[in-house]
Amino acid sequence: GESVGLHLPTLSVQEGDNSIINCAYSNSASDYFIWYKQESGKGPQFIIDIRSNMDKRQGQRVTVLLNKTVKHLSLQIAATQPGDSAVYFCAENTGGFKTIFGAGTRLFVKA
Amino acid sequence: EPEVTQTPSHQVTQMGQEVILRCVPISNHLYFYWYRQILGQKVEFLVSFYNNEISEKSEIFDDQFSVERPDGSNFTLKIRSTKLEDSAMYFCASSARTDGFEAFFGQGTRLTVV
């Protein structure tokens, strides 16, 4: 069945450190993965995406890693800042019009 | 920067009443979506809409729900007879889907059914 889940519900990091948020998925047919950031009172905001034919993609301060062998996705945030504090969702898409979101990880950045 | 706008930001309604949630997607986008998020839970897909018809819907999107694009700019979600469990944040999203699935989300409408 379709299932996207997260290993840790909360993550607390020191400002300036790197953050790693993990996600497991179970649908082998998924070919597109997205990370969203949701700040309090706002809608999800696209961060970065990756297709299944890739294993790594970098953006500005963020990197997404995809391990299809173990169906694992991670988001790395370099030099974490207070503004990075939010809930982060991984999401998957099998190529259709339906995107399945994971449960979310809350990131706390300590000053 | 273009954005998806949703109105109202908060809607309180009595159980059994009909509600219409409104969205104005980004103007050059062709794909439209509704999601909901029950407080403290994950974002759940409801429906996608393209070329004036539903392209995909979830099991949540039953006969009580309908969507419409009444003109060239608005995209609405109607719940015919609201239930207590319909209380949630409802997010509209749109995408161009030219080379990816990046969707832009609105700020959401908080629906409270009492």
Side-chain angles (χ1 to χ4, degrees), chain B residues 57-114:
Chain B
K57 61 183 180 180
S58 73
E59 58 277 6
I60 301 169
F61 194 88
D62 61 22
D63 292 344
Q64 293 299 312
F65 292 87
S66 62
V67 290
E68 192 177 31
R69 189 156 162 82
D71 53 40
S73 60
N74 291 285
F75 179 51
T76 62
L77 174 69
K78 181 193 290 186
I79 309 175
R80 288 191 186 81
S81 178
T82 50
K83 303 185 287 290
L84 294 176
E85 53 265 38
D86 293 328
S87 295
M89 281 291 284
Y90 287 81
F91 292 106
C92 173
S94 69
S95 71
R97 290 177 71 107
T98 51
D99 61 350
F101 295 72
E102 180 180 353
F104 293 82
F105 283 75
Q107 299 281 67
T109 292
R110 179 170 297 284
L111 176 65
T112 302
V113 182
V114 297

Side-chain angles (χ1 to χ4, degrees), chain A residues 4-7 11 19-25 33-36 47-50 54-59 61-68 70-78 88-91 105:
Chain A
V4 179
L6 289 154
H7 294 308
L11 177 65
S19 303
I20 299 177
I21 301 171
N22 296 303
C23 176
Y25 66 94
F33 303 89
I34 316 108
W35 280 101
Y36 285 95
I47 302 173
I48 192 168
D49 57 8
I50 188 168
M54 304 170 67
D55 53 21
K56 180 179 180 179
R57 191 166 186 216
Q58 287 184 290
R61 280 200 310 119
V62 294
T63 300
V64 55
L65 299 178
L66 175 62
N67 186 331
K68 293 182 289 294
V70 296
K71 296 179 189 156
H72 185 267
L73 191 70
S74 68
L75 176 70
Q76 300 177 0
I77 304 173
Y88 289 81
F89 293 96
C90 65
T105 292

Side-chain angles (χ1 to χ4, degrees), chain A residues 4 32 36 38 41-44 46 51 89 93 95-99 101-103, chain B residues 31 33 35 37 42-43 45 48 55-56 91 97 99-103 105-107:
Chain A
V4 179
Y32 186 77
Y36 285 95
Q38 187 177 29
K42 297 185 178 181
F46 174 91
R51 291 193 177 275
F89 293 96
N93 189 293
F97 294 91
K98 182 177 182 179
T99 297
F101 280 69
Chain B
Y31 301 83
Y33 314 87
Y35 290 82
Q37 185 177 31
K42 64 182 179 182
V43 178
F45 171 83
S48 58
S55 44
E56 197 156 358
F91 292 106
R97 290 177 71 107
D99 61 350
F101 295 72
E102 180 180 353
F105 283 75
Q107 299 281 67

